[in-house]
Amino acid sequence: MIVSLCIDHEKKLWVGTYYGGLNSFDGKSFTRYNHDPNNPQSLSDASVWEIYEDSSDRLWVGTLSGGLDLLDRRTKTFSHYRSGDLNSVQSLYISAITEDGEGNLWVGTDLGIAVLQRETGRFVQYINQKNEPTSLSNNSVIDIREDSKGRIWIGTHGGLNLFDKSKKTFQLFSESDGLPHNSILTIQEDNNGNLWMGTPNGISNMTILSDSSHSLKVKFKNYDEADGLQGKQFNENAAFRTSRNELIFGGANGFNIFKPEQLGMNKNKPQVILTDFQLFNKSIKADENVDGEILLSKAISESPHITLPANKNVFSIEFAALNFFHPEKNEYKYRLEGFNTDWLSADSKSRRVTFTNLDAGDYTFKIIAANNDGVWNEEGASIEITVLPPFWKTRPAVVLYFITVIIALLIVRKLIQQREQMKFAIQQERQEAIRMHELDMMKIKFFTNVSHEFRTPLTLILTPMEKLLKQANDAEQKGQFELIQRNGKRLLNLVNQLLDFRKMEVQEIKFSPSEGDMIKFIKETVYSFSDLSEKKHIKLDFHSSLDSLETIFDQDKVEKILFNLLSNAFKFTPEYGSVSVNVMFQEDQNSKRLQIKVTDTGIGIAPDKLDKIFDRFFQNELPKSMVNQGSGIGLSITKEFVKIYGGSITVESELEKGSCFTVILPVSEITSHAGSPLVETLLTPAEVEADEIRLLVNQSGGQKPLVLLIEDNEDFRFYLKDNLKLTYDIIEARDGQEGFKKAVTHFPDLIVSDVMMPEMNGLELCRKIKSDQRVSHIPIILLTARTSEEQRLEGFEIGADDYINKPFNFELLESRIRNLIAQRKKLHVSLSKQAGVKASELNITSLDEKFIQNAIRYVEENVSNADYSVEDLGRALGISRAHFYKKIVALTGKSPLEFMRAIRLQQASQLLEKSQLTVAEVAYKVGFNNPKYFAKYFKEMYHVLPSAYAAGKRRA
């Protein structure tokens, strides 16, 4: 089968065949060139697909599966260009060969294009690259043609490509540009420079409209069987231009030959008419009633305008071009002005366009058409269409909406104004309440601060008074002292009442029960007012249904309840009246209660005021003859205390006859443990004190312990020093800063510090001391007028060893000082008896524990270093030698050298027990340069020589 033909410069006809090789005919005879597998210089493949003679008279042969061959006519041998060879084509299939005006050979393959450059003699490849629109559109190249303008056109299975020589890129033309098919099988140029291309869907004529530097604008006209073609399908390599400018295209059913310039053109512009109007796919005729409305008064072709209701906005329009020569090739374009601005192509077969759900508005539908040769009638046909809005989009509706919005805005504005006015009023009230609360708090804070100031002088009154009472022998003098003490305590109760009032403001008061005889306690509290009853000539009586009642109760709360009630009774009872307290025990199946009645013969309370007497700051109107000394908070505090206790309080009163306050408190039984009672052997106070003092003196080498007093009140500091100087050496400081300096300098055995001080308060001082490893081991006792549990908890959390409230019993303070110092000394005694130093066995603060643990770790790490000194250990711990010496002695009772030696000897005992080393080797192992000294110190600690210790442990 003949596949390709070529006539060379010698007028020889070259014929390429399918499996018949290459044939040459000189007018007389044929010369055959076949593929010989045994001859490498023979034709590379039996199927010859392309034959081309270039400008240098070289004959190029493209094969089906052998690549590109070059024939040497003189020797009748072939040079081969196969895939995989250097400087060669990349495919074995050669589909097209041509030469451009510059002498470059273009070779089309199924893997792109290979261009043999004339100047360099090397191949350049062009292939399709994904996501690169300027590359070759498809690697399957079918035909390559250079036109009369020097443009290179490449036909592929992916459209027509134009090569840009300057940019080395390609411009693509495809079906979207007007081609009948994307497979370009053959390319020919006519006498006018237009291209003609054979495709699987007829012949296409491309006319170049403009040629700019950026891109080429073209127009395609397509021909099919209706135009006289042999069929739609045309063959590859089956096109030729004759010397008479005739074009020949061959196909499956023969070939077509024509002269392009003789093909006629239909230049008539077709008239366009509208043929039908459809509403919801139903044709609407003239004067047809649609839901009570006439949409078309005339035929659609004569109607200039159509008005559609809002619910009938889905319609179709049909049209036709009056061209009857090949009407199937008529083309249509339309647009709906007001909806879109671009011309859209319409289906030439259905000739109908449909619009759905158009918004309300005015539109103009325009349609234009072109005949079979693409001649357009730009005037076309048009019709105006109005889609009415629904009622809710009409002008009246918009006006209604506007009015509604204005009214709503006015209402909203009014509501916002009212809300802002309300917010402003609430804010004003809140600010006023805050201001009043702040004012109250300032008052309360003032009274609280004053009350705290009262507690220190009260301490200086009550504490020496206790000492004077013990020393007083004269009965009359003792009575006077007791009177002073009783009134001092009463003054203390008044101060505490102010503090309790402050506590209730911040909800700090808690129920704190303890065991005791409640009847005895109430009786003592009642008779503490005996001096007042004598002074005012008021009879005071106490009656109880029980002689004693051992129970659990909050003594502080009961005392304050009775104090307030009795104070009120005496305050509002005139001279020669009476005040009585009656206690009655009540019991039923569910509970046990104690009823306390405080009755007076005072001025009484009006009935309309009874429900207000427990209100805070309430003060009853008094006769002019009686001076009101009340604050109005006593009964309020009493009610709160009763409430905290879980009881109730009521009052009965009659003007000019007196009042009766009834308090009912729940009673809790004291539960005893099953079995035998616990028996403890206790030393007498004198024995305990003697023992502790003896221990202190022994451990201090006959010297008294050193106590640091830190107090800003000169009188109170003098009182403490004067009473402690017999037992202790005392150093003083006026504030926390001075106290810290003296603690670091003198290393006292104990520190007693006030909490409220200038410069640095007691809590800050305690925190600073407990965080300083030099003095963190020193016990601290804090003295304060603050009594809340939260404040006490804060002091204990930062490391205070004890917390004592003012005013206090001096014996209590002296006992706590003695016990804390004794505990520290006992710790030293226990440590001195240990064979080794172990940090886990020291009962010290966490910071001191870390200090000892670090010291042990550094010694153990350097245990074999005989030159490791006390200075080295102090340097590793970040502390000077002097402070290190005092710190180690205070914590362990050993000097630093004894401390280090104890750890070395402890390590030695483990080595002697568990290893096979000799005594001398163990000595050197734990840092002793001389085994004799090692044996000496080992015997002092373990009371046995190292050799005997090792032998005994190994036998065991």
Side-chain angles (χ1 to χ4, degrees):
M1 182 176 71
I2 297 174
V3 180
S4 58
L5 297 171
C6 178
I7 300 176
D8 65 8
H9 67 285
E10 295 177 354
K11 304 300 181 183
K12 287 184 179 180
L13 177 66
W14 294 84
V15 181
T17 66
Y18 182 64
Y19 279 107
L22 178 64
N23 297 275
S24 173
F25 180 67
D26 57 5
K28 296 180 182 180
S29 60
F30 281 93
T31 303
R32 291 188 175 85
Y33 299 89
N34 290 322
H35 170 64
D36 184 0
N38 297 320
N39 184 5
Q41 294 182 332
S42 66
L43 188 66
S44 62
D45 188 60
S47 296
V48 177
W49 225 245
E50 283 290 330
I51 306 172
Y52 185 81
E53 185 180 40
D54 63 13
S55 58
S56 299
D57 299 334
R58 294 179 296 180
L59 192 70
W60 296 88
V61 180
T63 66
L64 178 63
S65 59
L68 179 65
D69 285 357
L70 177 61
L71 174 63
D72 187 339
R73 291 190 179 97
R74 183 176 58 82
T75 61
K76 298 183 179 182
T77 59
F78 292 89
S79 300
H80 308 298
Y81 296 86
R82 296 188 179 94
S83 173
D85 295 342
L86 293 176
N87 192 31
S88 180
V89 297
Q90 299 299 315
S91 175
L92 295 176
Y93 169 63
I94 308 299
S95 57
I97 304 174
T98 191
E99 185 180 24
D100 63 18
E102 299 175 357
N104 300 319
L105 188 70
W106 291 68
V107 182
T109 72
D110 61 346
L111 292 176
I113 300 173
V115 181
L116 180 61
Q117 295 179 327
R118 184 171 184 175
E119 293 182 356
T120 62
R122 304 192 66 81
F123 282 94
V124 176
Q125 309 291 331
Y126 296 99
I127 60 174
N128 171 258
Q129 299 177 8
K130 290 183 179 180
N131 302 322
E132 182 54 60
T134 60
S135 65
L136 189 65
S137 65
N138 192 283
N139 284 332
S140 182
V141 178
I142 304 172
D143 197 6
I144 302 176
R145 184 72 58 186
E146 182 182 33
D147 65 12
S148 57
K149 299 293 186 179
R151 294 182 287 246
I152 304 296
W153 299 89
I154 299 97
T156 70
H157 281 298
L160 179 66
N161 291 261
L162 172 62
F163 181 69
D164 188 335
K165 294 182 180 179
S166 61
K167 298 180 181 178
K168 308 299 181 182
T169 58
F170 295 86
Q171 182 181 354
L172 172 64
F173 301 95
S174 62
E175 291 181 5
S176 61
D177 298 298
L179 280 171
H181 201 279
N182 280 335
S183 293
I184 309 302
L185 305 176
T186 56
I187 305 174
Q188 290 293 329
E189 184 184 17
D190 65 14
N191 201 35
N192 296 321
N194 298 323
L195 294 185
W196 294 79
M197 290 157 287
T199 73
N201 196 24
I203 294 175
S204 181
N205 171 221
M206 186 186 77
T207 303
I208 298 174
L209 301 177
S210 65
D211 186 2
S212 65
S213 59
H214 298 290
S215 62
L216 196 69
K217 293 186 178 180
V218 300
K219 181 181 73 173
F220 293 95
K221 182 179 180 182
N222 303 319
Y223 298 89
D224 56 18
E225 292 171 305
D227 297 299
L229 298 183
Q230 51 84 32
K232 289 185 177 182
Q233 181 69 44
F234 286 86
N235 298 332
E236 296 182 21
N237 284 338
F240 185 69
R241 177 183 174 185
T242 68
S243 58
R244 292 183 295 180
N245 293 325
E246 295 173 326
L247 297 181
I248 304 174
F249 288 87
N253 299 318
F255 65 89
N256 290 97
I257 181 171
F258 59 91
K259 282 189 174 183
E261 60 269 17
Q262 292 180 351
L263 297 177
M265 183 174 181
N266 183 3
K267 297 182 180 181
N268 293 325
K269 296 181 179 181
Q271 182 183 355
V272 184
I273 62 172
L274 303 180
T275 60
D276 192 17
F277 179 80
Q278 298 177 357
L279 192 65
F280 295 105
N281 295 324
K282 179 184 178 183
S283 296
I284 305 300
K285 299 178 181 179
D287 295 328
E288 182 177 351
N289 189 308
V290 180
D291 296 335
E293 297 183 68
I294 303 298
L295 299 182
L296 287 176
S297 58
K298 300 179 182 179
I300 186 64
S301 60
E302 298 176 1
S303 296
H305 186 273
I306 298 177
T307 301
L308 300 175
N311 59 346
K312 296 178 175 59
N313 58 353
V314 178
F315 59 89
S316 302
I317 299 177
E318 289 189 1
F319 42 81
L322 302 181
N323 172 54
F324 305 103
F325 184 71
H326 294 312
E328 71 278 2
K329 291 190 176 184
N330 292 344
E331 298 179 57
Y332 299 92
K333 290 184 179 180
Y334 72 95
R335 70 181 176 188
L336 185 64
E337 295 180 353
F339 181 73
N340 61 293
T341 56
D342 297 329
W343 288 99
L344 304 175
S345 297
D347 186 3
S348 60
K349 293 182 180 180
S350 65
R351 297 176 288 102
R352 180 176 66 177
V353 293
T354 300
F355 300 96
T356 60
N357 298 323
L358 286 178
D359 293 333
D362 295 323
Y363 304 92
T364 300
F365 175 75
K366 289 186 176 182
I367 181 74
I368 60 177
N371 63 16
N372 59 303
D373 284 330
V375 178
W376 287 90
N377 178 0
E378 301 291 344
E379 184 178 353
S382 64
I383 186 172
E384 294 181 356
I385 303 171
T386 298
V387 179
L388 298 176
F391 173 75
W392 48 274
K393 285 189 177 181
T394 60
R395 285 187 178 181
V398 173
V399 173
L400 182 61
Y401 299 153
F402 180 76
I403 294 173
T404 304
V405 169
I406 293 298
I407 294 173
L409 289 176
L410 291 174
I411 294 173
V412 170
R413 182 175 180 273
K414 185 66 175 177
L415 292 175
I416 291 175
Q417 286 179 337
Q418 292 178 352
R419 187 181 66 180
E420 290 300 320
Q421 290 173 355
M422 187 180 299
K423 285 173 62 177
F424 179 75
I426 294 173
Q427 186 176 4
Q428 289 291 100
E429 292 179 3
R430 184 180 294 115
Q431 289 178 350
E432 180 66 19
I434 292 173
R435 190 181 68 81
M436 295 300 297
H437 179 70
E438 289 177 349
L439 185 59
D440 290 341
M441 294 303 293
M442 288 175 62
K443 294 177 181 178
I444 294 170
K445 186 176 181 181
F446 169 75
F447 285 119
T448 303
N449 291 337
V450 170
S451 301
H452 280 297
E453 293 298 325
F454 285 163
R455 294 176 74 92
T456 297
L458 281 174
T459 302
L460 292 175
I461 294 172
L462 293 175
T463 306
M465 187 55 57
E466 291 176 359
K467 189 173 182 180
L468 291 174
L469 275 171
K470 290 182 179 180
Q471 297 174 355
N473 297 321
D474 183 75
E476 183 179 354
Q477 187 182 35
K478 189 173 183 180
Q480 295 296 323
F481 288 159
E482 287 175 349
L483 177 63
I484 295 172
Q485 184 187 46
R486 190 161 50 248
N487 282 276
K489 288 183 178 180
R490 188 172 299 162
L491 179 60
L492 179 62
N493 282 332
L494 291 172
V495 171
N496 290 338
Q497 184 169 276
L498 287 174
L499 295 176
D500 291 336
F501 183 72
R502 167 64 174 169
K503 290 178 183 178
M504 286 193 298
E505 287 290 322
V506 294
Q507 297 180 350
E508 289 183 344
I509 296 180
K510 297 179 180 179
F511 186 62
S512 304
S514 60
E515 296 181 6
D517 187 340
M518 193 170 183
I519 301 299
K520 180 181 178 183
F521 180 81
I522 294 174
K523 183 177 181 180
E524 291 176 352
T525 305
V526 170
Y527 284 119
S528 68
F529 284 81
S530 59
D531 61 318
L532 188 60
S533 68
E534 292 176 4
K535 178 181 178 182
K536 295 187 70 175
H537 306 289
I538 295 173
K539 183 181 179 183
L540 177 63
D541 293 323
F542 173 78
H543 302 282
S544 174
S545 63
L546 296 176
D547 292 334
S548 66
L549 177 63
E550 290 292 334
T551 183
I552 299 175
F553 67 103
D554 190 333
Q555 297 183 8
D556 179 64
K557 303 296 184 299
V558 173
E559 180 183 17
K560 289 174 179 176
I561 291 170
L562 291 172
F563 177 84
N564 283 314
L565 294 178
L566 288 170
S567 294
N568 260 5
F570 279 99
K571 191 180 301 178
F572 300 115
T573 299
E575 288 188 352
Y576 305 105
S578 66
V579 175
S580 64
V581 178
N582 292 282
V583 180
M584 182 178 296
F585 182 75
Q586 299 175 345
E587 182 177 7
D588 55 28
Q589 294 180 352
N590 298 323
S591 63
K592 296 179 180 180
R593 298 175 303 278
L594 196 66
Q595 182 189 77
I596 306 173
K597 284 190 175 185
V598 179
T599 307
D600 64 71
T601 58
I603 62 175
I605 305 169
D608 59 332
K609 303 291 180 65
L610 283 176
D611 58 340
K612 298 179 180 178
I613 62 172
F614 293 110
D615 293 344
R616 190 172 300 173
F617 302 117
F618 174 78
Q619 291 180 330
N620 193 14
E621 296 179 1
L622 299 177
K624 294 181 180 179
S625 60
M626 182 172 290
V627 179
N628 178 22
Q629 299 176 349
S631 63
I633 63 174
L635 290 178
S636 174
I637 293 177
T638 300
K639 185 177 180 181
E640 292 295 328
F641 285 158
V642 172
K643 183 178 178 182
I644 292 171
Y645 207 104
S648 63
I649 181 170
T650 57
V651 60
E652 297 175 0
S653 182
E654 188 176 350
L655 285 174
E656 305 301 333
K657 290 187 178 181
S659 303
C660 177
F661 287 86
T662 303
V663 176
I664 297 178
L665 301 178
V667 174
S668 300
E669 292 184 354
I670 301 177
T671 57
S672 59
H673 297 285
S676 302
L678 179 65
V679 179
E680 294 183 355
T681 302
L682 301 178
L683 295 177
T684 65
E687 292 173 331
V688 172
E689 183 174 358
D691 181 65
E692 290 176 346
I693 293 175
R694 183 170 58 255
L695 178 63
L696 296 181
V697 172
N698 290 338
Q699 295 303 318
S700 302
Q703 297 180 353
K704 292 185 289 185
L706 181 63
V707 175
L708 170 61
L709 295 179
I710 307 173
E711 170 63 58
D712 59 329
N713 188 295
E714 296 285 345
D715 293 336
F716 192 61
R717 193 170 68 247
F718 171 78
Y719 170 75
L720 292 177
K721 177 181 178 182
D722 189 57
N723 283 274
L724 292 174
K725 64 184 181 181
L726 296 176
T727 310
Y728 306 99
D729 289 332
I730 306 296
I731 53 176
E732 301 176 66
R734 290 186 298 272
D735 54 53
Q737 285 188 356
E738 182 183 352
F740 179 76
K741 293 178 181 178
K742 290 191 175 183
V744 174
T745 303
H746 298 282
F747 285 90
D749 293 285
L750 184 135
I751 298 174
V752 178
S753 173
D754 190 18
V755 172
M756 303 299 292
M757 294 185 296
E759 301 297 334
M760 181 190 295
N761 63 41
L763 295 178
E764 294 174 356
L765 171 68
C766 183
R767 184 181 295 105
K768 191 170 183 180
I769 287 177
K770 292 302 180 179
S771 61
D772 191 315
Q773 62 179 0
R774 297 173 296 176
V775 291
S776 60
H777 62 282
I778 301 175
I780 299 178
I781 297 177
L782 295 179
L783 306 178
T784 181
R786 294 183 174 183
T787 58
S788 68
E789 294 183 3
E790 287 76 7
Q791 293 164 341
R792 293 171 60 87
L793 180 61
E794 181 183 3
F796 287 127
E797 284 181 346
I798 62 176
D801 294 87
D802 207 343
Y803 207 108
I804 298 179
N805 294 327
K806 296 179 182 178
F808 53 83
N809 187 313
F810 181 78
E811 292 181 355
L812 173 66
L813 173 63
E814 190 174 22
S815 175
R816 294 304 299 139
I817 293 174
R818 185 168 59 251
N819 288 341
L820 286 174
I821 295 177
Q823 287 174 7
R824 182 66 60 179
K825 297 303 180 181
K826 287 177 181 178
L827 174 65
H828 295 170
V829 172
S830 65
L831 288 174
S832 64
K833 295 178 181 180
Q834 295 179 0
V837 177
K838 297 181 181 179
S840 59
E841 296 178 2
L842 298 178
N843 185 19
I844 48 182
T845 64
S846 59
L847 189 63
D848 295 337
E849 183 177 357
K850 291 179 182 178
F851 177 83
I852 292 297
Q853 289 175 350
N854 289 334
I856 293 173
R857 177 167 57 85
Y858 288 132
V859 174
E860 289 177 344
E861 289 175 355
N862 297 275
V863 70
S864 60
N865 183 1
D867 297 326
Y868 195 70
S869 63
V870 174
E871 287 82 358
D872 295 330
L873 180 56
R875 195 179 301 113
L877 292 169
I879 190 170
S880 67
R881 178 186 177 93
H883 283 117
F884 177 58
Y885 180 87
K886 294 178 181 179
K887 184 79 173 180
I888 287 293
V889 171
L891 290 176
T892 67
K894 297 177 182 291
S895 68
L897 191 60
E898 292 172 340
F899 173 81
M900 295 174 65
R901 186 187 302 142
I903 296 174
R904 293 179 186 272
L905 292 174
Q906 185 181 13
Q907 292 277 343
S909 68
Q910 296 177 10
L911 290 173
L912 291 170
E913 179 180 350
K914 299 177 182 179
S915 71
Q916 301 298 320
L917 300 175
T918 64
V919 172
E921 289 173 336
V922 170
Y924 294 126
K925 191 77 173 177
V926 295
F928 284 87
N929 288 330
N930 191 328
K932 291 183 178 179
Y933 284 109
F934 169 68
K936 172 187 174 184
Y937 289 121
F938 191 90
K939 185 176 181 181
E940 287 180 0
M941 176 175 283
Y942 291 100
H943 308 292
V944 65
L945 289 173
S947 56
Y949 179 88
K953 290 293 182 180
R954 289 167 187 170
R955 282 196 303 270

